[in-house]
Amino acid sequence: MNTSKYADVDAVVVGAGPNGLAAAVTLARSGLKVVVFERATTPGGGVSSAELTRPGFTHDVCSAVHPLAFESRFFREFGLRHRVEFAVPEVSFAHPLDGGQAGIAFRDLERTRETLGRDGAAYASLIGPLAARASEVAELTGSTLIRVPPYLGAAAYFGAAALEQGTPLWNARFHEESAPALLTGVAAHTVLPLPSLAAASAGLALTAYAHARGWPIPIGGSQRIADAMVADIEAHGGVVVTDHEVTSLDELPRARATLLDVTPRALLRLARDRMPSRYRRRLERFRYGNAVAKVDFALSEPVPWTNTTVRGAGTVHVGGTRAEIQASENGVVRGHLSENPYVLVSQPTVFDATRTPEGMHTLWAYTHVPAGSDVDRTEVVIKQIERFAPGFRDTIVATASRTATEVASHNPNYVGGDISSGEPSVRQLLQRPVLSSDPWRTPMPGVYLAGASSSPGPGMHGLAGWHAALSALKHEFGATALPNLMPR
């Protein structure tokens, strides 16, 4: 594509995932001329939706449930909940166990406490202070960790809780299976060893959001989030160009700021000789994590979970007890495929009938696999769901699956199928992608990293793009005031 018609732009963004779009929104709202280039046919990246199984069945391609939609500083500034309609289930997440038992994380923490028996008070005492300070936790974890932490009280409690749940002490306060299973199911989102500090930190934060404002599901699909951001960019003079893959920074129109929603590996390829050797060596040390294999289902009816309360959960963590999930996840870390894996499940059509023909349903599921795996996990996912929902197989109308290698081919930011765009270990949360108080700014003039490989890391929050845009506004345009992003 000839990019000469964009020669008068102030800023270029490469990548129209949630972070790239957040960067473009922020720059366009600052009065700059912005163009976004996206290799895919549809903008959205991790918040795209498509008909993956059959016509009329809308599936979320990557993220489906959005715990940070109400907690992310960027999305609060953007007024996302005023632009996109969300369903917020009363059961944020559930964790079925054998024999029809289940841990149920109601949005109401007190109701959750009452259902957890003798562990209810212990669970509430761990999560309650974090849920009460959910916005402070989001602010604490929503930027580079190389800074004086805001909200020192929340930081101290959050750190102490992570030390407990991220070490062999994690079972000290519990006596039964449901409460620790609830916490482990959320920590396992990270595809990290269990227990570990980084997995515990992410799990505790997400659990706090579940009991604060809930885990929202966008009506119509996650694509609605991307559509809202694209509409705002275009309303403020920006342009989003799809079906355009950028292979070198030299292809881009000249601009004062270039923001890249890409991985360090991609930046190394795009920059070539323009990158200083010392910075190159730092990016070459950036590590990518293990992966996901995804399965989408078209169903004739909702999943027949044995525990009927699980049927009302937006998210279901499948995999059994804390010990079982620990074994399967640590097996992935060692390069093994589990026959009884952890499976993360979302059942959006329980709350959103707009996604399917009348009376039908969709189910979204992924399981963790070693990076680069080319093994289709459809059958093992079906078996694991059937374990807690006998008859599930009979509800399946159609399936669509992606191996880890196919996930990576669909979105190059997911190296080897790593949807975190880089291992979210403690070291790499501090160095994301380098150790710096401004990790978004590169040593190349006007070039910024704005993707999930940058601080604060994975999650559908737009914060990496927002922070990169604020850094560019400061250093390239001399602007220090936050632009107003609210709907007008």
Side-chain angles (χ1 to χ4, degrees), residues 31-365:
L32 303 180
K33 294 181 180 179
V34 181
V35 61
V36 182
F37 294 111
E38 167 57 47
R39 69 184 287 273
T41 301
T42 304
V47 287
S48 57
S49 304
E51 293 180 336
L52 299 178
T53 55
R54 288 190 173 183
F57 288 78
T58 299
H59 301 269
D60 291 323
V61 175
C62 186
S63 60
V65 181
H66 303 283
L68 278 155
F70 297 165
E71 299 294 352
S72 157
R73 173 76 183 277
F74 167 74
F75 282 127
R76 284 190 280 117
E77 295 281 342
F78 184 63
L80 181 65
R81 64 193 307 176
H82 302 296
R83 301 170 185 261
V84 175
E85 183 182 1
F86 288 93
V88 186
E90 288 188 21
V91 178
S92 294
F93 60 92
H95 195 116
L97 296 166
D98 291 322
Q101 300 300 306
I104 306 295
F106 294 97
R107 198 164 11 127
D108 183 337
L109 180 59
E110 177 60 23
R111 190 175 177 189
T112 304
R113 185 193 68 76
E114 291 172 354
T115 65
L116 289 176
R118 63 191 297 211
D119 283 340
Y123 179 91
S125 67
L126 176 68
I127 298 301
L130 296 174
R133 299 169 171 170
S135 294
E136 295 180 9
V137 171
E139 189 73 14
L140 173 68
T141 59
S143 185
T144 175
L145 300 181
I146 308 302
R147 58 179 176 148
V148 176
Y151 308 110
L152 291 177
Y157 184 83
F158 184 69
L163 281 171
E164 175 193 309
Q165 289 300 305
T167 67
L169 294 173
W170 68 340
N171 284 319
R173 69 169 66 214
F174 299 117
H175 305 280
E176 299 178 347
E177 296 288 1
S178 294
L182 277 177
L183 295 168
T184 308
V186 187
H189 284 220
T190 58
V191 207
L192 289 170
L194 296 174
S196 64
L197 290 176
S201 297
L204 289 167
L206 292 173
T207 304
Y209 307 150
H211 294 297
R213 296 182 179 87
W215 285 5
I217 297 171
I219 300 298
S222 293
Q223 186 70 47
R224 300 297 176 88
I225 297 172
D227 293 346
M229 289 196 280
V230 170
D232 196 80
I233 293 164
E234 293 176 342
H236 292 86
V239 178
V240 179
V241 181
T242 57
D243 288 310
H244 181 81
E245 183 170 8
V246 176
T247 61
S248 169
L249 295 182
D250 295 335
E251 301 171 4
L252 297 174
R254 188 179 300 276
R256 291 172 65 181
T258 300
L259 286 79
L260 306 170
D261 183 359
V262 303
T263 65
R265 181 177 296 185
L267 178 57
L268 289 166
R269 184 178 66 252
L270 292 171
R272 299 175 186 171
D273 296 338
R274 292 172 59 173
M275 184 179 293
S277 58
R278 181 181 178 187
Y279 188 69
R280 173 179 292 276
R281 288 192 297 271
R282 295 170 77 185
L283 292 191
E284 287 173 342
R285 291 194 292 267
F286 188 81
R287 294 179 56 183
Y288 300 89
N290 282 308
V292 304
K294 186 168 183 283
V295 188
D296 287 283
F297 299 91
L299 305 178
S300 61
E301 59 185 78
V303 179
W305 302 106
T306 301
N307 185 296
T308 56
T309 308
V310 176
R311 301 178 187 184
T315 299
V316 185
H317 300 135
V318 177
T321 64
R322 166 171 272 185
E324 288 179 288
I325 293 175
Q326 179 187 20
S328 66
E329 291 299 282
N330 290 348
V332 170
V333 173
R334 294 191 295 270
H336 303 150
L337 289 170
S338 173
E339 289 306 306
N340 295 290
Y342 167 79
V343 182
L344 178 58
V345 173
S346 170
Q347 38 190 20
T349 47
V350 172
F351 313 96
D352 179 9
T354 70
R355 301 187 186 208
T356 59
E358 185 176 357
M360 306 296 279
H361 286 267
T362 63
L363 194 73
W364 172 109

Side-chain angles (χ1 to χ4, degrees), residues 338-426:
S338 173
E339 289 306 306
N340 295 290
Y342 167 79
V343 182
L344 178 58
V345 173
S346 170
Q347 38 190 20
T349 47
V350 172
F351 313 96
D352 179 9
T354 70
R355 301 187 186 208
T356 59
E358 185 176 357
M360 306 296 279
H361 286 267
T362 63
L363 194 73
W364 172 109
Y366 75 58
T367 188
H368 298 152
V369 296
S373 169
D374 61 358
V375 178
D376 187 316
R377 300 292 278 168
T378 301
E379 182 58 28
V380 75
V381 166
I382 292 173
K383 286 181 178 178
Q384 191 71 316
I385 296 174
E386 180 96 6
R387 171 183 168 187
F388 303 101
F392 168 66
R393 189 185 296 274
D394 297 332
T395 72
I396 299 172
V397 175
T399 65
S401 70
R402 279 185 175 150
T403 66
T405 55
E406 290 168 336
V407 168
S409 296
H410 174 76
N411 189 332
N413 279 354
Y414 301 155
V415 176
D418 170 18
I419 60 172
S420 296
S421 298
E423 183 182 79
S425 62
V426 169

